[in-house]
Amino acid sequence: MSSLSAWVQRSSRLALLILFVTLLPLTASPPATTAQSANRCFEETGFCISGRIREYWEQNGGLPVFGFPITPQRAEVIEGRTLQVQWFERNRLELHPENAPPFDVLLGRLGADMLVAQGRDWFDFPQESAPRAGCRFFRETRQNVCGTILRAWEAQGLNLDGQPGFSEFENLALWGLPLSPLQTEVIEGKSLQVQWFERARFELHPDNTPPFDVLLGLLGTDLLAGNAGQPSEPTTPEPPRPPDITSPNWPQLRADFFAGGLVRPVVLTHAGDDSGRLFVIEQEGRIRIIDRNGNLLPEPFLDLTDRVSCCGERGLLSVAFPPTYARFGEFFVNYTTLDRKTHIARFRVSDDPNRADRSSEQVILAFDQPFANHNGGQMAFGPNDGYLYIGTGDGGSGGDPDNHSQRLNTLLGKILRIDVQVGATYTIPRDNPFVNNPDARPEIWALGLRNPWRFSFDPANGNLFIADVGQDMYEEINFQASASRGGENYGWKIMEGNECFGTRTCDRTGLTMPIITYDHSDDDCSVTGGYVYRGTASQDMQGIYFYGDFCSGRIWGLRSTQGQWETRMLLREPITISSFGTDQAGNLYIASYNDGTIYRLTD
């Protein structure tokens, strides 16, 4: 790094501009398919470029776009994969030999990476809902790009088609989407107007004459100098202290009728939009709305019955509304398809707030289900990190015949964690536990689960409760503290509950055991996970995690007292409990699968 350090000291701010095409035109010839063997070396930094990276650098802008090389070509782990990369002042070039040219060389997302390294979330930047005059509006990130920066963005792109000029696709390929509005920031002690993009930071320097009034930030240099080129150690903020359980009493629980008329309800939730509505999933493929007065609206919010395979353990299994739903109207569903796959899909609401746009579907993740059962299905956004968590079953049959739950090369039998706010589909959070394991799927957050039908976060502190449906003997509740860095192995199919599965002895090393189990001796058969109550209507319910059994209709409370978990049965009703749910105020509900009734739990 001595050459880099000397270069940084010698020229801490060599912001070699975005030169417009009229000043530095790029070659219009198609990208070459044979690599040059000669090195091109730069005295300024002491590094050389060669082969495919040299071709790409020279054909797509050279110094004005990428800057000087600041490392040799070397192997690095990028998002869980070992790649040959070379860093430049303004970006990182990555070799992907599995792709055909010109896509065998890809650019790093250094704008987004820098924001992460600074501890900033681009989704917190102010956003807009419509284009402004003279601007280009990007719906994907709700940002306008205007004026001088728009002209600079449009003037340069990757030369992908060999034609003169640059298409919008080629502009996007080079710079990416805008992540922020034009805003004032202090860059090296100077107050500047800047706008962040996925792969760049554009800076306005009005004291310079055009075209030098628009410069590019040295993100490659800055990230390497800050040791941010590799995935950083995850940091977990101190979770907020949950409200104390001031009452030593267990609640005198009862289930009050709230709404009826549903068919096979399996999920109920809210959108966090202050509307007072409950959204209830009917397994066949409909999302219904119950208004704040308990009235079931006649028309479904979304009808996917022509796309959904139902029933048994298949169907439309979950809906998750991100914290930004009220602003942007996007939400996510999990369903099994007619050809036995799981689809995680993004939808948008229509102009009618009570109707989603069926045509807006974008499938962001799909994977095969080898059998008809154990599809998992639950999804939820983490309250502390904003990522989407997805529960997947072990693929079905019985006894996990392919050992999916313990294998890291499959998504089955896991809790997944993905970022759906960045990228066309999703991206992998850089602190996911297996991102540096080339033999593992980087989406995996936790493993060793059989069928996590329902899980939930405590909204007060982010603790995660996972109810995992057992095989023949035991049901279990697993717990993950909000400070966890992921990677827990909850034991299936080594264990069922606290007992070895299928053998008298087993190796429990590295397993995270459940906090509560129960057997099938009292008409119980299948655990239905619930929620920690954080409403205001009941003091005795405060801080208790409620869960139930689908067959027996029993409901328990679970809480930690002086560091010890304790549970108590609080209610038994002739209800087939398919799901718990909450409204925005924290009130707690249960859905009865067989008779289509929603009950509110009170004391």
Side-chain angles (χ1 to χ4, degrees), residues 34-160:
T34 58
Q36 300 180 42
S37 60
N39 290 340
R40 177 173 177 178
C41 300
F42 297 85
E43 294 181 358
E44 294 85 352
T45 60
F47 293 107
C48 303
I49 57 176
S50 63
R52 190 69 182 94
I53 284 183
R54 175 180 175 180
E55 287 181 346
Y56 191 93
W57 185 91
E58 291 178 342
Q59 291 168 353
N60 290 295
L63 280 174
V65 172
F66 303 111
F68 291 106
I70 55 176
T71 72
Q73 184 177 316
R74 64 191 186 186
E76 291 188 15
V77 177
I78 306 295
E79 295 185 353
R81 295 185 58 193
T82 300
L83 301 173
Q84 287 290 314
V85 307
Q86 187 163 11
W87 287 77
F88 295 80
E89 292 176 284
R90 300 184 186 86
N91 217 307
R92 179 184 66 230
L93 297 186
E94 307 168 359
L95 290 180
H96 291 257
E98 71 278 8
N99 298 341
F103 303 104
D104 57 334
V105 182
L106 299 180
L107 288 169
R109 300 176 64 253
L110 298 199
D113 289 348
M114 177 62 83
L115 290 174
V116 170
Q118 294 174 350
R120 305 163 75 187
D121 186 346
W122 70 268
F123 212 71
D124 291 336
F125 289 135
Q127 296 172 335
E128 300 180 77
S129 59
R132 288 187 274 119
C135 300
R136 166 76 164 84
F137 180 65
F138 293 82
R139 186 199 65 82
E140 297 85 350
T141 56
R142 278 80 175 186
Q143 298 294 350
N144 279 291
V145 181
C146 308
T148 305
I149 288 181
L150 177 60
R151 291 192 293 275
W153 187 90
E154 292 176 336
Q156 191 63 281
L158 295 185
N159 185 21
L160 300 178

Side-chain angles (χ1 to χ4, degrees), residues 5 21 53 97 223 246 255 383 446 454 481 513 553 559 565:
S5 299
V21 175
I53 284 183
L223 277 168
T246 58
R454 293 290 170 251
M513 305 309 293
R559 66 186 182 187
W565 293 104

Side-chain angles (χ1 to χ4, degrees), residues 305-318:
T305 52
D306 59 337
R307 309 176 195 181
V308 170
S309 172
C310 184
C311 285
E313 297 180 25
R314 295 163 291 131
L316 181 55
L317 301 178
S318 189

Side-chain angles (χ1 to χ4, degrees), residues 237-499:
E238 184 68 23
R241 179 181 175 86
D244 292 332
I245 301 175
T246 58
S247 172
N249 303 318
W250 289 96
Q252 302 298 309
L253 203 64
R254 70 176 190 268
D256 295 335
F257 176 88
F258 183 73
L262 294 146
V263 179
R264 295 192 182 99
V266 292
V267 172
L268 64 154
T269 188
H270 66 88
D273 60 354
D274 297 324
S275 68
R277 298 175 296 175
L278 282 177
F279 293 78
V280 183
I281 285 183
E282 295 180 325
Q283 189 178 5
E284 289 90 340
R286 292 176 292 271
I287 302 178
R288 306 292 302 275
I289 292 177
I290 301 173
D291 69 18
R292 65 174 69 246
N293 298 316
N295 301 309
L296 179 66
L297 301 191
E299 295 296 325
F301 176 69
L302 180 64
D303 189 339
L304 298 177
T305 52
D306 59 337
R307 309 176 195 181
V308 170
S309 172
C310 184
C311 285
E313 297 180 25
R314 295 163 291 131
L316 181 55
L317 301 178
S318 189
V319 61
F321 295 91
T324 56
Y325 174 75
R327 187 172 183 182
F328 301 128
E330 290 188 343
F331 63 96
F332 298 82
V333 301
N334 181 331
Y335 67 91
T336 52
T337 67
L338 301 175
D339 57 349
R340 211 160 66 182
K341 296 179 183 291
T342 284
H343 277 188
I344 311 299
R346 176 190 281 116
F347 283 86
R348 290 186 56 81
V349 71
S350 71
D351 292 337
D352 179 351
N354 289 328
R355 299 297 298 272
D357 179 1
R358 270 174 45 93
S359 67
S360 66
E361 179 177 18
Q362 179 194 17
V363 177
I364 65 169
L365 177 62
F367 50 91
D368 291 332
Q369 291 290 350
F371 298 94
N373 56 339
H374 303 181
N375 296 301
Q378 175 71 20
M379 300 192 303
F381 283 89
N384 292 343
D385 57 25
Y387 296 135
L388 182 63
Y389 291 72
I390 304 165
T392 69
D394 65 9
S397 185
D400 193 5
D402 294 318
N403 199 30
H404 290 133
S405 294
Q406 290 297 316
R407 286 167 41 200
L408 291 175
N409 63 349
T410 173
L411 300 180
L412 298 173
K414 312 297 192 297
I415 298 292
L416 312 179
R417 179 180 184 249
I418 61 176
D419 185 351
V420 296
Q421 308 295 346
V422 177
T425 54
Y426 67 90
T427 57
I428 306 297
R430 65 172 53 229
D431 59 345
N432 270 13
F434 301 108
V435 293
N436 293 322
N437 183 343
D439 299 321
R441 291 292 299 261
E443 296 93 341
I444 296 172
W445 177 250
L447 66 149
L449 295 161
R450 180 178 178 273
N451 193 26
W453 171 244
R454 293 290 170 251
F455 64 82
S456 67
F457 292 94
D458 183 344
N461 51 36
N463 291 337
L464 177 61
F465 292 81
I466 308 167
D468 197 15
V469 178
Q471 177 79 20
D472 298 315
M473 300 292 293
Y474 300 103
E475 308 298 309
E476 64 184 62
I477 305 292
N478 297 290
F479 176 79
Q480 186 183 92
S482 61
S484 169
R485 294 183 177 181
E488 286 88 345
N489 185 340
Y490 292 107
W492 174 253
K493 66 174 184 173
I494 301 168
M495 312 286 298
E496 182 185 8
N498 290 315
E499 305 298 325

Side-chain angles (χ1 to χ4, degrees), residues 245 559-566:
I245 301 175
R559 66 186 182 187
S560 179
T561 303
Q562 296 180 342
Q564 298 295 319
W565 293 104
E566 59 176 340

